[in-house]
Amino acid sequence: MTFSDIAVLVTDIHKNHFNLTLDSEMPVLVVDGLTGSKSFLQYISNSAQFRGIKEVKIFRVDYRQNFILGRFQMYGDKADILISIDENNCWSRYVAAKEMSHIIIDKTQESMTTDIARTITWILKQGMDTNIHASLDSEHIAAQFAAELLVPYYISKPMLENPDLTSYQIAAHFGVPERIIDTFRDPGYSELRDEAYRDI
Amino acid sequence: MEQNTHIVSEEAKFNSWLSSEKKKGLVDIKLYPNNTSTASKESFYAELNAMNTAFQNGRYEEIKYL
């Protein structure tokens, strides 16, 4: 999946599921019991094409977190996402969005992981983190997809280009980690982003 | 009297859990690591096991709005 593919899919979700406009609130990931509200979870649950997932539950888990912010587990038609209780709301949203994105982007058997030993060896060797400007394997595509989902291009662009707004203020507006906004403001990344959305 | 001690590594403990979950239908597991520069294999597995223990002991809440 290329950056342009991500841009097309995310824009479709923003326009046709969330009905986002320039004045819209930030995209909500999970909402329970609020009639008429749209969420990304609802989008996944309503879209049987995504690996046949019928139920996704997200939990804040109380463990001593040092190295793992969250994890995703899929059992047949159900998926659980576990997030550290120590994370603030912005990080929780980003971790949840990234893990939920796997349901959409991982379409082949090869992208599914149960060989945890190999995964951990790779993580410890690579020092994988939340860098969304890295080579586009499944993990980084998910990270990039999550960032694009939570910070809609057309709404964020004028804010990102406004020197009077700090990255913290923009991050707070969209409910994402400040690190994401800093990346979006990087001239090199900004150029790639403009290119990805150019014809949409 | 000789004491019979059997130390199970964190990796073995997690793999035991993983085998049991595969029997329950687990087909995919992904991790979101962060700042693993000081992590060892054993400490990383220990944290995975800590997540399992917390979950099994009910130290969690389902997120209803995010």
Side-chain angles (χ1 to χ4, degrees), chain A residues 29-30 32 51 58 60 62 66-72 74-75 94 98-99 102 106 111 113 130, chain B residues 17 21 25-30 32-34 38 45 47-48 52 54 59-66:
Chain A
L29 297 176
V30 182
D32 185 60
R51 296 165 64 172
I58 306 177
R60 284 186 209 280
D62 184 7
N66 290 307
F67 312 119
I68 307 169
L69 300 184
R71 76 190 204 203
F72 168 87
M74 194 174 98
Y75 301 77
Y94 183 60
K98 186 253 178 190
E99 299 305 337
H102 278 296
D106 295 342
S111 55
T113 314
T130 54
Chain B
W17 174 86
E21 293 304 295
L26 180 73
V27 291
D28 194 7
I29 179 166
K30 290 193 163 61
Y32 193 118
N34 188 43
T38 60
Y45 274 109
E47 191 155 325
L48 285 170
N52 287 346
R59 298 202 311 273
Y60 67 86
E61 60 185 27
E62 186 176 349
I63 294 177
K64 299 292 187 183
Y65 186 87
L66 190 62

Side-chain angles (χ1 to χ4, degrees), chain A residues 32-191:
Chain A
D32 185 60
L34 296 177
T35 307
S37 297
K38 295 288 183 77
S39 71
F40 186 45
L41 184 59
Q42 195 180 56
Y43 174 81
I44 290 173
S45 300
N46 291 345
S47 304
Q49 57 176 315
F50 299 126
R51 296 165 64 172
I53 296 276
K54 292 178 181 162
E55 182 181 82
V56 181
K57 289 187 174 180
I58 306 177
F59 303 96
R60 284 186 209 280
V61 184
D62 184 7
Y63 61 99
R64 187 182 292 273
Q65 184 254 311
N66 290 307
F67 312 119
I68 307 169
L69 300 184
R71 76 190 204 203
F72 168 87
Q73 297 165 189
M74 194 174 98
Y75 301 77
D77 61 359
K78 295 181 182 177
D80 290 337
I81 295 169
L82 280 55
I83 299 173
S84 166
I85 205 166
D86 296 329
E87 296 310 311
N88 64 27
N89 198 56
C90 292
W91 271 105
S92 295
R93 277 171 53 78
Y94 183 60
V95 173
K98 186 253 178 190
E99 299 305 337
M100 292 162 85
S101 297
H102 278 296
I103 296 171
I104 293 177
I105 66 171
D106 295 342
K107 293 179 177 170
T108 64
Q109 194 68 33
E110 289 72 35
S111 55
M112 296 191 192
T113 314
T114 52
D115 185 350
I116 204 77
R118 190 173 63 177
T119 303
I120 290 174
T121 300
W122 184 74
I123 288 169
L124 295 179
K125 191 175 173 185
Q126 301 292 323
M128 191 183 82
D129 59 16
T130 54
N131 181 2
I132 61 170
H133 195 182
S135 62
L136 294 179
D137 54 37
S138 171
E139 290 298 331
H140 290 112
I141 291 172
Q144 194 172 26
F145 189 99
E148 295 298 331
L149 179 81
L150 295 174
V151 186
Y153 176 76
Y154 290 104
I155 300 175
S156 65
K157 189 168 173 59
M159 299 173 78
L160 294 167
E161 292 173 349
N162 183 346
D164 294 332
L165 290 174
T166 65
S167 293
Y168 179 84
Q169 287 172 313
I170 300 171
H173 177 84
F174 290 106
V176 297
E178 193 176 357
R179 189 190 299 188
I180 303 298
I181 302 302
D182 286 338
T183 300
F184 279 174
R185 281 184 144 173
D186 175 86
Y189 194 88
S190 178
E191 199 173 311

Side-chain angles (χ1 to χ4, degrees), chain A residues 12-28:
Chain A
D12 179 63
I13 295 170
H14 287 153
K15 287 185 177 172
N16 297 320
H17 178 68
F18 285 107
N19 300 319
L20 287 187
T21 66
L22 291 177
D23 301 324
S24 295
E25 297 292 317
M26 60 189 179
V28 174

